[in-house]
Amino acid sequence: MLSRFGFLRQGLLAAAVVLMAPAAASAHAMLHSSDPADGSTLNSSPRAVHLMFSEECRVTSLRLLDGAGKEHQVRREGGREAASHATATVPASLPPGAYRIEWRAMGGDGHVMSGAVRFAVNASR
């Protein structure tokens, strides 16, 4: 037979498990990794940019900007259906400098998330 304290402890433990379950089920997609990696310095211009997410989401915007804020053309590969990754080719060689990939995505639950990946291209030697 359980003591009053043991009964209370088991009840609190059960309540904690029940309350934590919906939080785990409603977790949102997050950027897992990227290529180029955030903060990296490349010796040459990338041919493509890749974003990998923790779960499937629909990337609604993907832009490549230089340090001055000028947008550089990229071509999205694949459609806009939900996927755990997004890829865009960089048709022209990027000059040396700082760049950022700005992205925006919508998870299956409708949650909108956004972020940026920063990288640099070194001057050619």
Side-chain angles (χ1 to χ4, degrees):
M1 199 158 179
L2 289 175
S3 69
R4 191 179 294 187
F5 177 72
F7 181 75
L8 180 60
R9 186 175 64 202
Q10 284 187 342
L12 289 174
L13 179 61
V17 168
V18 168
L19 290 174
M20 288 180 359
S26 67
H28 301 299
M30 297 183 304
L31 183 66
H32 183 266
S33 61
S34 64
D35 183 19
D38 190 31
S40 65
T41 300
L42 310 175
N43 289 325
S44 61
S45 176
R47 295 180 186 209
V49 296
H50 306 276
L51 303 176
M52 285 69 74
F53 296 92
S54 61
E55 61 186 63
E56 287 191 349
C57 59
R58 191 166 50 92
V59 175
T60 57
S61 174
L62 194 147
R63 300 180 343 142
L64 175 63
L65 299 112
D66 63 23
K70 177 185 173 194
E71 187 168 356
H72 292 260
Q73 191 68 30
V74 294
R75 185 175 50 243
R76 290 272 307 270
E77 294 181 10
R80 295 194 186 265
E81 65 277 351
S84 60
H85 64 280
T87 299
T89 57
V90 181
S93 185
L94 298 174
Y99 295 90
R100 72 182 180 276
I101 303 162
E102 292 183 350
W103 59 269
R104 186 175 170 98
M106 184 183 321
D109 62 356
H111 180 78
V112 175
M113 58 235 136
S114 61
V117 174
R118 290 170 172 68
F119 68 94
V121 175
N122 267 344
S124 35
R125 298 173 189 197

